[in-house]
Amino acid sequence: MSAPNLIPHIRNTLASLRPAERKVADMVLGDVDFAMRASITELAQRADVSEPSVTRFCRAIGAHGLRDFKMLLAQSVAGGLPYASTAVARDDDLQTLFDKVSEAAVQGITHARGALEPSAVEAAISAIATARRVYFFGVGSGSGLAVQDAALRFLRLDIAASAFTDGHLQRLYAGLMEPGDVAFAISHSGRSVEVNESIQIAKERGATTIGLTNVGSRLAWLVDIPLLLRVPNAIDPNTPGVSRIVHLCIMDALAIGVALRLGPKTLEKMRHAKARLSQEAGPPSSDTP
């Protein structure tokens, strides 16, 4: 096994790994930067396994131990981690900059399309289409924006959807949820305390919980329906971050899937709403300033 191929090698061996080893693999693929610098104790805690399981994982993928694994992982990243290593160089011109950022986004979406489990996507669509109301939880400039956009998309489908990006409000509204409601969390890292606590509260209240997050994250283990990705963290500040774009694309696909599930009546409501907005807007004004 050559060093630059370690990451795809881990992906290819997932099916053959033991459950605990697979947890470590998912954690590594979800946060390569953390895996390269963490101690064996930190790796075990993040993956929710024992330290010997981390060692067994390293050997299962062909490394002699943790130190050898970290060296191979670092060489793999240096050799080119798909769409996460497209760093913008100081001497890149504007055209090259746009090319690198665009290519990173395209590769990220393509990779996400292959990573999502179809049965989980189907379950998420079914839950949202039949929900009494849907609350979206997310924090930060990435996930916070994604949940706000998601709520607007589903509101257009006449679904009672709301987005909350404040931790206090997330916990408050999660505590008001009931069976028949859906709590949908979006978190790249899956480690947000506010989001995870809100999901736990909603689950205790009987709501169906959905999470769009990286494999191996804390959130992935909390929700009823995990929509799992393997989107690496940006390696440095000049590396394009694609998680936000990937999340928006997936939410768009889910909204379309829900619209198709709800059928012609929902589409007709959307047409009437758009027509009313056009009437209220009226013709362009001919007044001059």
Side-chain angles (χ1 to χ4, degrees), residues 14-15 22 26 110-126 210-213 215 224-230 250 253-254:
L14 281 173
R22 193 176 302 121
D26 286 339
T110 300
H111 186 71
R113 181 179 60 184
L116 280 174
E117 184 65 39
S119 60
V121 175
E122 176 64 26
I125 290 174
S126 179
I210 305 173
L212 178 57
T213 185
V215 292
D224 300 310
I225 305 173
L227 301 174
L228 302 180
L229 303 172
R230 291 187 174 91
I250 291 172
L254 289 177

Side-chain angles (χ1 to χ4, degrees), residues 19-231:
E21 295 167 358
R22 193 176 302 121
K23 284 186 178 183
V24 181
D26 286 339
M27 181 272 300
V28 170
L29 294 173
D31 197 339
V32 173
D33 182 61
F34 172 81
M36 287 192 294
R37 57 182 170 78
S39 67
I40 188 170
T41 301
E42 291 171 330
L43 291 171
Q45 290 176 345
R46 174 72 69 85
D48 194 23
V49 300
S50 66
E51 293 183 13
S53 293
V54 176
T55 302
R56 285 193 291 269
F57 159 76
C58 295
R59 292 172 179 166
I61 62 168
H64 298 301
L66 182 61
R67 181 177 297 181
D68 185 43
F69 163 73
K70 286 186 175 183
M71 182 184 70
L72 292 172
L73 187 62
Q75 291 174 350
S76 182
V77 170
L81 179 62
Y83 72 82
S85 61
T86 314
V88 177
R90 287 182 176 274
D91 57 351
D92 285 344
D93 56 29
L94 286 177
Q95 185 60 55
T96 302
L97 184 154
F98 280 114
D99 287 345
K100 286 185 175 181
V101 173
S102 300
E103 183 62 23
V106 170
Q107 291 184 9
I109 292 171
T110 300
H111 186 71
R113 181 179 60 184
L116 280 174
E117 184 65 39
S119 60
V121 175
E122 176 64 26
I125 290 174
S126 179
I128 295 171
T130 58
R132 187 172 66 97
R133 56 185 174 182
V134 183
Y135 287 165
F136 290 93
F137 302 141
V139 296
S141 59
S143 298
L145 182 146
V147 297
Q148 290 174 332
D149 181 80
L152 287 173
R153 289 180 185 278
F154 288 103
L155 277 173
R156 296 189 189 104
L157 300 179
D158 197 25
I159 292 175
S162 302
F164 303 98
T165 59
D166 175 81
H168 176 73
L169 290 178
Q170 287 174 2
R171 296 183 183 93
L172 173 62
Y173 279 90
L176 298 174
M177 303 192 82
E178 299 175 351
D181 296 338
V182 168
F184 197 129
I186 300 178
S187 174
H188 173 62
S189 68
R191 299 194 301 270
S192 169
V193 175
E194 302 95 327
V195 171
N196 289 350
E197 287 185 358
S198 299
I199 285 294
Q200 286 181 301
I201 293 170
K203 195 169 185 177
E204 291 170 0
R205 293 286 300 168
T208 300
T209 55
I210 305 173
L212 178 57
T213 185
N214 261 359
V215 292
S217 72
R218 173 64 176 163
L219 177 61
W221 297 101
L222 290 175
V223 295
D224 300 310
I225 305 173
L227 301 174
L228 302 180
L229 303 172
R230 291 187 174 91
V231 181

